[in-house]
Amino acid sequence: MVQHRVRVHRSSEGPAKEDQLAHRIASVATDPVKVEPAVVEMVGNRIIDNAAVAAASLRRRPVRSARAQATRHPLDPGATIMGTPTSTRVSPEWAAWANGVAVRELDFHDTFLAADYSHPGDNIPPILAVAQHMGKDGRSLVRGIATGYEIQVALVKGICLHEHKIDHIAHLGPSAAAGIGTLLEPGTEVVYQAVQQALHVTTTTRQSRKGEISSWKAYAPAFAGKMAVESVDRAMRGEGAPSPAYEGEDGFIAYLLSGPDVEYVVELPAPGEAKRGILETYTKEHSAEYQSQALIDLARRLGPKVGDTSKVRAITIHTSHHTHYVIGTGSGDPQKMDPQASRETLDHSIPYIFAVALQDGEWHHERSYAPERAQRPDTVELWHKISTVEDPEWTERYHATDPNKKAFGGRVVVEMADGSVIEDEIAMADAHPLGARPFTRPDYVAKFRALADGVVSPEEQNRFLGLVERLPELTAEEVRQLTFTEDTATAPRDLPTSKGIF
């Protein structure tokens, strides 16, 4: 790996194009290295994972709205939309939009946490959509997805957006553009311009994940994917982008991040070095923000020890800075303690999540968020007894560069009314590669079958999974079939519809 030092430069001093971060990203994207077997396997796992959570969210309003928008933009050959017949083809940027919302809606797919946050599986919808439209085969698709993950992991390790309240899709736009660049091979100059353009148009504030969280939380990564497709298209036509996008004196770092006095270090593969970033990422067993995954597992373990939760006096979760301030009581968001809060807000409330998991011994993507569940009096009472505090030890482990030390859990202290104390801790979620039950291909398949049950017929499930098993050998036409169709026999007849401009 090569460490690239990135800082603000005055217009009069450069940097040279070849030294700019966007150009170095483009050089990685256009490096024709082979994809290692373990990476091929994991790309297939994440395609299955995305399909699983998309199937589970298919009938939810935000996903139906995005799908309705996309179907107004038919194109031949076009790309497919998950849930619709494979004969329904739309412009690839709109397929990326619809599928991106479906994948992100339940907050239930893969994650990577380092200096910043990310859901690198968000790279897959735009790259797959372009592959389908442009007639690319399975080998090219795998290469493109491997690049998308590689660049996103590198940016998330090297550049913190959260401290400046910039939403994490600012890393997704460039990574998806780079992945599309690997897929299409238009040359380093084109990818360089596309990466810069994608960064420029996907930089938004973090209010989308703060306060009263709306469905835009699911739409934001889809927007980044859509912009990545359009950025590559524009660059392929010979158009340039704001440059240098990262290092310019009026650019991204200068005015939106830490400014001219700070240097960032982004580590990227050396020429000829394989892209392994996807192997550092991890998926979710539970439909909730990743920093709650291990704590849900711990709550399930503590439930039998605690017993009657009405006898709990207080619960304190000692955890990392990020967990405390993003999904804990350190956020200062009253909505995180509100029984009337949206699903998106409850998904970012560890006091609520821990209370339900402790009482139910499980976490379910629908039942655990149901309004009647959130408003249950005994749950509200317990929920409001739970608080988080930052623990320097867990913050240090959160930021550790050694994957064997890096952890996203915490220590929980349960004080009972009789004065007794129950205490336990957990470092990794059970499904994490270093957890109690690391996810492998059978677990991804089981997740897909469970979430697709009643939405996608068993025959259609088998067809889709069969294609993934042969992923690098797929023909271009088979890549166009790499989706699933909803089982109309089980589809509700009374889902409300709404109309917009188109």
Side-chain angles (χ1 to χ4, degrees):
M1 302 293 280
V2 177
Q3 290 188 338
H4 299 288
R5 301 189 178 278
V6 188
R7 65 174 178 86
V8 175
H9 290 255
R10 293 191 301 272
S11 297
S12 59
E13 67 173 2
K17 181 188 294 186
E18 292 73 18
D19 294 329
Q20 293 173 25
L21 179 58
H23 197 276
R24 288 167 169 169
I25 289 171
S27 296
V28 171
T30 53
D31 188 3
V33 296
K34 291 184 178 180
V35 181
E36 295 179 344
V39 172
V40 175
E41 174 80 2
M42 191 58 75
V43 168
N45 288 343
R46 300 310 168 76
I47 289 175
I48 294 171
D49 200 47
N50 271 17
V53 296
S57 70
L58 202 62
R59 294 163 182 172
R60 294 176 60 82
R61 192 204 70 248
V63 179
R64 289 187 286 110
S65 294
R67 191 162 62 244
Q69 289 179 306
T71 54
R72 301 302 190 271
H73 297 82
L75 187 66
D76 183 32
T80 60
I81 302 173
M82 286 186 284
T84 64
T86 56
S87 59
T88 301
R89 305 287 176 84
V90 301
S91 191
E93 78 277 21
W94 282 100
W97 171 259
N99 293 334
V101 175
V103 164
R104 193 66 181 82
E105 164 68 6
L106 292 177
D107 205 341
F108 202 178
H109 63 327
D110 67 12
T111 303
F112 181 71
L113 304 173
D116 209 76
Y117 322 113
S118 69
H119 294 278
D122 293 331
N123 284 279
I124 295 175
I127 297 170
L128 175 58
V130 174
Q132 291 180 333
H133 176 62
M134 298 295 287
K136 294 299 180 178
D137 61 16
R139 175 183 170 276
S140 297
L141 175 62
V142 168
R143 292 186 66 248
I145 292 173
T147 292
Y149 272 81
E150 189 72 30
I151 300 306
Q152 181 142 38
V153 166
L155 292 173
V156 170
K157 284 181 176 180
I159 300 176
C160 180
L161 305 174
H162 173 75
E163 65 177 315
H164 301 288
K165 309 310 177 189
I166 300 299
D167 194 28
H168 60 65
I169 69 167
H171 287 332
L172 175 61
S175 67
I180 295 168
T182 297
L183 175 80
L184 298 182
E185 303 180 77
T188 302
E189 175 66 21
V190 170
V191 182
Y192 160 65
Q193 297 294 351
V195 166
Q196 295 193 109
Q197 182 68 24
L199 171 69
H200 189 71
V201 298
T202 60
T203 301
T204 61
T205 73
R206 209 180 169 279
Q207 191 61 41
S208 59
R209 297 162 208 285
K210 177 76 173 174
E212 187 175 343
I213 303 173
S214 75
S215 62
W216 183 252
K217 184 168 76 74
Y219 277 81
F223 173 77
K226 184 173 182 286
M227 291 298 100
V229 177
E230 294 183 0
S231 295
V232 176
D233 176 83
R234 184 173 177 277
M236 289 174 70
R237 298 175 189 276
E239 302 304 324
S243 181
Y246 285 98
E247 300 92 346
E249 62 181 333
D250 285 349
F252 188 57
I253 294 173
Y255 281 96
L256 297 174
L257 299 187
S258 292
D261 299 326
V262 172
E263 181 179 78
Y264 292 96
V265 178
V266 177
E267 199 171 61
L268 294 168
E273 185 176 1
K275 300 176 176 71
R276 303 184 184 93
I278 192 172
L279 300 179
E280 298 184 51
T281 66
Y282 24 83
T283 194
K284 296 180 177 181
E285 184 177 1
H286 315 295
S287 177
E289 212 275 352
Y290 192 82
Q291 292 162 101
S292 68
Q293 297 292 300
L295 292 168
I296 290 173
D297 292 330
L298 182 57
R300 296 191 299 179
R301 194 164 78 203
L302 281 173
K305 299 178 183 178
V306 173
D308 184 357
T309 58
S310 69
K311 295 183 169 134
V312 171
R313 187 172 69 81
I315 296 177
T316 305
I317 301 173
H318 300 257
T319 187
S320 68
H321 173 95
H322 280 61
T323 304
H324 174 54
Y325 284 102
V326 174
I327 64 172
T329 50
S331 68
D333 292 345
Q335 296 90 345
K336 284 182 168 50
M337 309 300 285
D338 183 359
Q340 307 292 329
S342 67
R343 183 195 192 280
E344 291 84 359
T345 300
L346 295 176
D347 165 81
H348 277 53
S349 171
I350 192 59
Y352 173 74
I353 291 168
F354 195 85
V356 173
L358 188 68
Q359 288 182 326
D360 295 355
E362 67 164 5
W363 188 261
H364 189 269
H365 67 281
E366 291 178 338
R367 293 192 297 272
S368 298
Y369 290 107
E372 59 271 19
R373 187 68 195 79
Q375 295 165 25
R376 210 172 84 185
D378 64 320
T379 297
V380 175
E381 182 183 6
L382 176 64
W383 175 6
H384 287 220
K385 294 176 181 177
I386 299 174
S387 61
T388 62
V389 295
E390 180 186 355
D391 184 319
E393 178 185 344
W394 287 103
T395 297
E396 183 179 352
R397 292 196 67 180
Y398 183 103
H399 290 293
T401 55
D402 182 348
N404 294 309
K405 295 180 180 178
K406 195 175 186 68
F408 309 111
R411 178 171 60 89
V412 173
V413 178
V414 183
E415 301 173 51
M416 304 300 290
D418 63 5
S420 62
V421 175
I422 301 168
E423 189 172 340
D424 203 350
E425 66 178 50
I426 189 170
M428 307 288 189
D430 291 348
H432 188 277
L434 299 177
R437 295 179 287 98
F439 259 42
T440 59
R441 177 60 62 88
D443 297 296
Y444 287 96
V445 171
K447 181 177 176 180
F448 172 70
R449 291 200 183 278
L451 295 181
D453 184 44
V455 180
V456 182
S457 72
E459 295 77 17
E460 181 69 350
Q461 293 178 32
N462 293 339
R463 184 196 64 78
F464 170 77
L465 292 171
L467 288 173
V468 178
E469 287 298 324
R470 299 189 298 105
L471 186 59
E473 286 81 42
L474 296 182
T475 66
E477 186 52 40
E478 287 174 321
V479 168
R480 289 187 171 121
Q481 304 298 315
L482 196 57
T483 184
F484 62 82
T485 301
E486 181 182 16
D487 186 356
T488 56
T490 64
R493 305 295 181 189
D494 57 349
L495 286 177
T497 60
S498 59
K499 291 185 178 181
I501 294 173
F502 45 82

